[in-house]
């Protein structure tokens, strides 16, 4: 079974800081990896989907990287804003099967 | 707006009661999923349906049943609710192209007392 770990569980930074969120997984035979954002009491919003053949994906101030061999992905957020405050989840899909395996998330607070 | 719609948003049940959570998507997606989210445990897959007419168990199927009514709708039923089923339930769908990721609904917050 794929185990997905996100460290730290919580992070607090001042506005304007660049930051990195980490995601690690135990089985490197992945098909793709997806980063989500979840606001309190809300559903999950997809941020970036990175295929196993890709090294990184970018959307605005967000950049996700993938290193399959080391079982790691990072989500880089540039020039953080208070509106970025949320829980960030990563999910990994294996080459076999139909489901994604989720980490427990990193709760981010950006202080004005 | 196109997406995944879940009903109800909130529900309180007494132990032993039954209920059905509804999910519908209007994106013509083949695959649909039910997850539960509990503090400190992340999202865990309950059941999924890879296509209309098929369903499969996920990681935590006990106490639940599902129905893929048609391509749009995938329902989750609790036959005899237990306090351990208190959770937030999310429905998700995924397009048939293998490169697609998930689209999630806004969730149903269920409390069993």
């Amino acid at each position: 079974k794929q185990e997905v770990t996100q460290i730290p569980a919580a992070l607090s930074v001042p506005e304007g800081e660049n930051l990195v969120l980490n995601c690690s997984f135990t089985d490197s035979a992945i098909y793709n990896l997806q980063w989500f954002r979840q606001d309190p009491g809300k559903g999950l919003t997809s941020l970036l989907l990175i295929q196993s053949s890709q090294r990184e994906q970018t959307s605005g101030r967000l950049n996700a990287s993938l290193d399959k061999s080391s079982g790691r992905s990072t989500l880089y957020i540039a020039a953080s804003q208070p509106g970025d405050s949320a829980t960030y989840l990563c999910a990994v899909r294996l080459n076999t099967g139909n489901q994604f395996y989720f980490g427990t998330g990193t709760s981010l607070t950006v202080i004005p | 707006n196109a997406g995944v719609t879940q009903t109800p948003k909130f529900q309180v049940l007494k132990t032993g009661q039954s209920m059905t959570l509804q999910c519908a998507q209007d994106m013509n997606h083949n695959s649909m999923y039910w997850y539960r989210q509990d503090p400190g445990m992340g999202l865990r897959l309950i059941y999924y349906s890879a296509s209309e007419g098929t369903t499969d168990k996920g990681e935590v199927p006990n106490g639940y049943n599902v129905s893929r009514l048609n391509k749009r709708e995938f329902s989750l039923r609790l036959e005899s609710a237990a306090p351990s089923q208190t959770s937030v339930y999310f429905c998700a769908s995924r397009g048939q192209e293998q490169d697609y990721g998930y689209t999630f609904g806004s969730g149903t917050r269920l409390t069993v007392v």
Side-chain angles (χ1 to χ4, degrees):
Chain A
K1 180 193 168 187
Q2 176 75 275
E3 300 287 341
V4 181
T5 304
Q6 291 185 250
I7 296 173
L11 181 64
S12 183
V13 300
E15 182 177 2
E17 191 164 297
N18 302 326
L19 60 100
V20 174
L21 305 180
N22 297 296
C23 173
S24 61
F25 46 92
T26 54
D27 189 339
S28 61
I30 69 167
Y31 190 84
N32 54 31
L33 183 147
Q34 193 167 0
W35 281 95
F36 295 89
R37 167 188 174 135
Q38 185 175 27
D39 294 285
K42 304 292 186 183
L44 280 70
T45 301
S46 179
L47 297 173
L48 289 165
L49 174 67
I50 183 165
Q51 303 299 334
S52 61
S53 58
Q54 298 173 319
R55 299 279 301 177
E56 62 179 79
Q57 279 281 4
T58 298
S59 176
R61 295 183 293 109
L62 305 179
N63 176 277
S65 68
L66 176 64
D67 184 342
K68 278 197 312 179
S69 61
S70 66
R72 292 175 59 186
S73 176
T74 61
L75 180 66
Y76 175 83
I77 302 176
S80 58
Q81 303 170 357
D84 294 331
S85 297
T87 296
Y88 291 81
L89 296 151
C90 70
V92 176
R93 182 184 171 200
L94 296 177
N95 286 330
T96 56
N98 207 344
Q99 77 173 83
F100 278 73
Y101 294 90
F102 283 83
T104 52
T106 294
S107 176
L108 173 66
T109 302
V110 181
I111 304 167
Chain B
N1 292 335
V4 179
T5 303
Q6 290 183 237
T7 57
K9 293 190 183 301
F10 301 94
Q11 184 72 49
V12 178
L13 289 179
K14 293 181 179 179
T15 298
Q17 285 186 319
S18 62
M19 78 160 296
T20 300
L21 281 63
Q22 306 287 353
C23 175
Q25 52 90 10
D26 58 5
M27 297 171 286
N28 201 37
H29 285 174
N30 281 348
S31 299
M32 298 185 73
Y33 306 79
W34 278 104
Y35 280 89
R36 61 179 287 174
Q37 185 177 36
D38 301 291
M41 302 191 73
L43 279 87
R44 293 180 292 168
L45 183 65
I46 305 171
Y47 271 94
Y48 68 96
S49 170
S51 61
E52 186 179 355
T54 68
T55 61
D56 288 285
K57 295 178 180 179
E59 183 181 356
V60 287
N62 292 343
Y64 306 95
N65 285 300
V66 291
S67 295
R68 183 74 181 267
L69 304 171
N70 47 56
K71 192 171 187 178
R72 291 185 64 249
E73 299 173 286
F74 188 38
S75 63
L76 178 71
R77 182 162 179 85
L78 287 71
E79 291 291 351
S80 179
S84 61
Q85 295 178 304
T86 294
S87 186
V88 181
Y89 291 85
F90 288 101
C91 177
S93 68
R94 187 172 63 82
Q96 63 187 58
E97 293 296 327
Q98 292 188 3
D99 289 352
Y100 288 0
Y102 280 148
T103 300
F104 275 82
S106 58
T108 295
R109 187 172 296 275
L110 175 67
T111 302
V112 182
V113 298

